[in-house]
Amino acid sequence: MLEEDTRKLSMADGESSREATARTLRNAFGNVFSFFILLLIGILAFSIRLFSVIKYESVIHEFDPYFNYRVTQFLTKNGIYDFWNWFDDRTWYPLGRVIGGTVYPGLTLTAGTLWWLLNSLNIPLSVETVCVFTAPIFSAFASWATYLLTKEVKGTGAGLTAAVLLAMVPSYISRSVAGSYDNEAVAIFALIFTFYLYIKTLNTGSLFYATLNALAYFYMVCSWGGYTFIINLIPMHVLLCIVTGRYSSRLYIAYAPLVVLGTLLAALVPVVGFNAVMTSEHFASFLVFIIIHVVALVYHVKGNLSPRMFKVAVTLVVSVGLVVCCAMIAVLIALVASSPTKGWSGRSLSLLDPTYASKYIPIIASVSEHQPPTWPSYFMDINVLAFLVPAGIIACFLPLSDASSFVVLYIVTAVYFSGVMVRLMLVFAPAACIMSGIALSEAFNVLTRSIKFQLPGSSGISQSGDTSMNTEGEQNDIAKTEKMDETAKERPSKKNKRKEKEPVVKASIRSRIERRLLVLPLEASVIAIILLVLLGAFYVVHCVWAAAEAYSAPSIVLTTYSREGGLHVFDDFREAYAWLSHNTEVDDKVASWWDYGYQTTAMANRTVIVDNNTWNNTHIATVGTAMSSPEKAAWEIFNSLDVKYVLVVFGGLVGYPSDDINKFLWMVRIGGGVFPHIKEPDYLRDGQYRIDSQATPTMLNCLMYKLSYYRFVETDGKAFDRVRQTEIGKKYFKLTHFEEVFTTHHWMVRIYKLKPPKNRIRGKTKKSKSKASSTSSPKRSGTGKRNPWH
Amino acid sequence: MAISPTLLLSLLLFTTFLSVSLHHSTADPDSDSDSESSDLVTELLYLQSQSKSGVIHLNDHIVSRFLTSTKTPRPYSLLIFFDAKHLHSKTELHLQDLHTEFSLLASSFISNNDASSASSLFFCDIEFKESQNSFSLFGVNSLPHIRLVGPNVKNPKDSEQMDQGDFSRMAESMAEFVESRTKLTVGPINRPPMLSTNQIAFLGVILLIWAFFFIKKLLTKDTFLHDWKLWLLGAVFVYFFSVSGAMFNIIRKMPMFLVDRNDPNKLVFFYQGSGMQLGAEGFAVGSLYTIVGLLLGVVTHVLVRVKNRTAQRVVMGVALVISFWAVRKVVHLDNWKTGYGVHAFWPTSWS
């Protein structure tokens, strides 16, 4: 009897152990499989961003990345301490700029560390190469972080789907192609990773993850000004949890350390400093910090008192607490209201009140990144994900957990902000990927199940077997989470939990009964799967197209296709910067409009007067005034700033529309804002900006016109401007105070030298001038040969 | 308080009478015109005090009294707002909005300036039906119209007209116009707060009392905040609102549709060009975006629980057809609107 019993027991043991091994094997297989999928996703994220390198070359893009590149160079050469104390005298001459205290150092430090690591492994990559590939590498990291985050919310399948969607979402590609070395490149990874760690802490209640979360937040603060989104979103979620009765000790552990450690760490970043406690963007987190402590106290007291005693205590505390609260809020409001902008920066205000910027801050409203997007922008930037997001939202509500409520809150706030500013589409894109990943994964789950269990070949046994396995797995999961809950939850809340647990178990039983019925008709499921796959395929096609065609141009090298299909490359910018670096003295000052400041310092290594960090309006206005003054006055202004060379960008010959003549009205406006003798109407004929024969005399005599169109008539004999589509107004004129020293191949950049102050020996200068003009004559063969830096 | 204007008036009239009689007795021509003009100013000041906002309501008689029949230079300028009651219904003219802005400007000017400089500029409005002669006198035939009659203007038609651009940005830009033409300072515009202090206090008290009950309810966990369906609805609505580009419509004040220029009977709902969109267009595409996701969500989470096979089949069929159509429609519209040629990169040997 006893023997039989033991045998039975052992048999049952054996069976269960066999089942267990089968399950572990399947789990292990699944883990390895998803590991390889993740690896492939990383490779996909990296390689889809290489179009810019393949189509153009490995080069840093646009304007701001050049500054970041230069800072990184400095860091790798001089080390972190010198970087921290770096006073840059090559820019904003004669003021200079404190770089260490005015940049977000995250990107620079990341790329610098990467470079140092590679070099210590004896992989001799140049700083430039590391900078070019930082963004693609971090996109791979970002898609892995998305996997982790979505896995915490809805499981592995959703995680993998979300990761693959994020790897190629166009909105993110636009900011992270190879060469686009800007803050957002690393910041999006930091953003997602911070959210992941927050959710992880919320699910586990572990202090270890809470600490990591604060560190990730620190990295985000180092990287991008967008960190304020995190420090407002997480408090919002905490408040939401409290209000909807989801408070738990896990929530406390996830939030309190983040605020304390995170704020302390954020204050360490020089560019943030005391802003971390002084500006209104951070006040929400402190307010919620107070609230969560009050709530924690209430829960604690509630656990220790009998219900009746608790009621008495509540009425007592609420009435006293409310008075105290009101007093504090009044003080806070008074504090905030005493500052002119109510403690909020203009950009944040324009997020809360979308019409604010257009009414009061034209500078913010004028930037194209800050415009509200139209519906095609969504289709361009997240493509078919726009269709899937609502399904993801529904899935997150069935059932609603702490984690899924967080992603819902994330997508709602992000989609609202993206509606106000097209730039914030970048923050919205990861949320859209997560939601769409969840939606797609749930849909595939249901549809494939419907096919699997209803295929004509499949027998009932396998069906029941599978379902039982499924439910078993589910039950296991539930048991696991419960155990987790139990360990995590404090004793006081246990009482409540007991009550909660029973319905959960009941629900699982019910789901086991129902699961057998949870299928859709076979043929409809097949069609639906085909359509979903087609939708996915369309997404892939769109993303590859966007990466290859729309977002890969580096804007420092331009290309056009000729009618015969040949490729024509315009490399004038680098030609000009190289000329500057080879033919001018190291300490010469070069004046240009601020757009080209970063590039000039980074590529030509010459001192500039103004650059893209537009911190000093007066200085910019001075340059604007010089450009809009007649030659003599301009010469005096430039000479007083020790300027040796003036650089203008001119697109009239090849039809490059974003040249200085098209930006000229902004120079007049900004100059006129500080120096009232520059008046915009003087440059306009009947309110119209024109450079043809109808142009005003002021326009035709200003420095910008002269430097742009000097000798332009020699190119085609008619002086036809291809950007403005007209013949210019004044064709033949001479320069008295400036001399042309270099004009690039396509005339896109023209460099002039200020003539020496005392201009007595006329004959000599004339001779040298004629020589100079022959050097840069439109005959290209001549330019090629005489090019002084060949 | 109510007596003071009348009291003031009688005092004013009395002093005026006195001064007039005095001046008449001295019979000096120069001081005569002086007194006459100071007369006019006091009268204007009286008229100004009569109106709540400080805007003097003109009619043909007053216009002739203060403008056409006076000698130049007058000691005051007049800023005249031309109004027409029967056009108030035409919202695109914004006559009422502009009039309130104009009154704001007037009251701010009066409160920001002391008596001496406040008496050199007066704000007036004039109504078309009442004073058609004055309209023709000024040669005004389109509204909105604001005119500044300077001290030296003899013929009303020579007075300066405020440009469209000057009143487009409301009272602030009108103030700039006034400041640039008259060498007077208007000072900051005092907009009345949305709620008076009493109202704010009242609302505060109500909020406080409500908060008591709300917190009590919150502890029992049965408020609308605990209803997840409401949250779901809100989330989907915010999503729909944003992806339809409604924020763009609000910020740029885009109309819902345009009237076709070539054919006035036709309405244009879709605008070609990616930088702009019309209101109706955004909402149409926004709902297409949203409906597909909602259908997918319903199919995967609600429909699977339905036991009736036929119902499942029918609903799924409808959902698939609608989704397919919506996606196709959006792709088609996007290609038409932006003009991008999205294409795949197939190997060249395939074609």
Side-chain angles (χ1 to χ4, degrees), chain B residues 34-187:
Chain B
D34 233 31
S35 77
E36 194 184 317
S37 56
S38 74
D39 235 21
L40 290 172
V41 170
T42 33
E43 220 176 311
L44 277 170
L45 276 173
Y46 163 67
L47 284 171
Q48 191 181 62
S49 67
Q50 287 294 82
S51 109
K52 209 172 128 196
S53 59
V55 176
I56 301 166
H57 189 72
L58 300 181
N59 52 36
D60 289 343
H61 169 70
I62 303 179
V63 166
S64 75
R65 168 130 178 73
F66 290 103
L67 278 180
T68 38
S69 61
T70 51
K71 283 190 203 121
T72 53
R74 286 180 289 268
Y76 49 82
S77 317
L78 294 180
L79 189 69
I80 305 174
F81 181 88
F82 292 86
D83 199 5
K85 287 235 168 65
H86 65 280
L87 291 178
H88 280 188
S89 57
K90 291 205 172 178
T91 46
E92 69 269 21
L93 291 177
H94 299 291
L95 274 180
Q96 276 169 312
D97 298 343
L98 285 171
H99 194 264
T100 42
E101 290 296 318
F102 187 78
S103 332
L104 265 180
L105 178 68
S107 53
S108 307
F109 176 78
I110 293 161
S111 65
N112 288 337
N113 287 285
D114 54 10
S116 61
S117 54
S119 60
S120 56
L121 175 67
F122 291 95
F123 296 83
C124 319
D125 63 354
I126 187 162
E127 214 282 322
F128 178 71
K129 285 256 168 77
E130 287 171 25
S131 359
Q132 295 196 2
N133 287 338
S134 306
F135 268 67
S136 57
L137 196 67
F138 282 96
V140 175
N141 44 26
S142 74
L143 294 180
H145 198 110
I146 299 174
R147 246 166 209 281
L148 179 72
V149 188
N152 297 316
V153 172
K154 285 201 180 103
N155 183 358
K157 276 183 187 160
D158 297 340
S159 59
E160 196 162 4
Q161 183 191 346
M162 195 185 282
D163 282 339
Q164 196 82 33
D166 281 321
F167 49 74
S168 63
R169 277 191 304 114
M170 310 185 291
E172 280 80 4
S173 59
M174 292 187 200
E176 278 169 26
F177 171 82
V178 170
E179 284 176 358
S180 69
R181 299 303 192 288
T182 59
K183 314 271 186 308
L184 293 166
T185 49
V186 176

Side-chain angles (χ1 to χ4, degrees), chain A residues 93-386:
Chain A
Y93 181 84
L95 307 170
R97 178 186 169 193
V98 185
I99 301 274
T102 55
V103 292
Y104 285 99
L107 176 77
T108 321
L109 290 178
T110 309
T113 316
L114 217 60
W115 178 83
W116 174 81
L117 202 75
L118 288 169
N119 269 274
S120 52
L121 291 174
N122 286 327
I123 305 173
L125 287 180
S126 70
V127 179
E128 189 183 1
T129 315
V130 173
C131 291
V132 165
F133 292 103
T134 300
I137 290 171
F138 270 79
S139 324
F141 291 170
S143 42
W144 293 334
T146 311
Y147 163 74
L148 291 172
L149 171 57
T150 320
K151 191 183 152 206
E152 284 302 312
V153 179
K154 279 280 169 182
T156 317
L160 288 172
T161 324
V164 75
L165 291 176
L166 185 102
M168 51 185 172
V169 67
S171 168
Y172 186 30
I173 287 180
S174 73
R175 296 311 186 99
S176 63
V177 292
S180 166
Y181 180 56
D182 214 343
N183 289 336
E184 289 95 330
V186 297
I188 294 301
F189 158 71
L191 180 89
I192 302 171
F193 198 61
T194 311
F195 285 156
Y196 157 65
L197 285 169
Y198 171 69
I199 296 285
K200 186 81 186 172
T201 323
L202 199 56
N203 280 347
T204 57
S206 135
L207 262 178
F208 170 69
Y209 285 114
T211 318
L212 280 189
N213 189 18
L215 288 175
Y217 173 66
F218 175 58
Y219 184 60
M220 177 71 192
V221 177
C222 281
S223 308
W224 198 33
Y227 75 90
T228 44
F229 181 63
I230 297 183
I231 205 60
N232 282 302
L233 186 67
I234 291 181
M236 265 168 80
H237 179 245
V238 171
L239 198 65
L240 191 80
C241 281
I242 291 173
V243 167
T244 52
R246 307 184 75 94
Y247 172 80
S248 64
S249 54
R250 289 169 291 117
L251 187 71
Y252 183 83
I253 290 170
Y255 186 64
L258 174 70
V259 171
V260 177
L261 286 177
T263 307
L264 284 176
L265 288 170
L268 290 180
V269 184
V271 65
V272 177
F274 277 103
N275 282 349
V277 283
M278 305 278 276
T279 53
S280 298
E281 278 95 341
H282 303 80
F283 283 174
S285 64
F286 301 138
L287 193 70
V288 173
F289 189 67
I290 296 169
I291 292 175
I292 199 172
H293 275 95
V294 171
V295 172
L297 189 74
V298 169
Y299 271 82
H300 182 72
V301 170
K302 198 176 173 185
N304 285 344
L305 292 180
S306 65
R308 263 195 65 196
M309 281 293 284
F310 179 68
K311 236 178 192 171
V312 175
V314 162
T315 32
L316 199 80
V317 169
V318 161
S319 44
V320 175
L322 218 59
V323 172
V324 175
C325 253
C326 287
M328 276 184 53
I329 287 171
V331 169
L332 208 71
I333 288 174
L335 263 177
V336 171
S338 62
S339 80
T341 55
K342 314 277 176 243
W344 289 78
S345 65
R347 257 181 237 181
S348 322
L349 267 181
S350 65
L351 283 181
L352 298 180
D353 173 14
T355 51
Y356 179 85
S358 59
K359 261 189 251 162
Y360 301 107
I361 345 174
I363 286 289
I364 289 184
S366 71
V367 178
S368 67
E369 278 187 333
H370 298 155
Q371 303 300 323
T374 53
W375 69 261
S377 321
Y378 283 95
F379 200 70
M380 180 70 196
D381 276 356
I382 61 169
N383 200 245
V384 303
L385 305 188

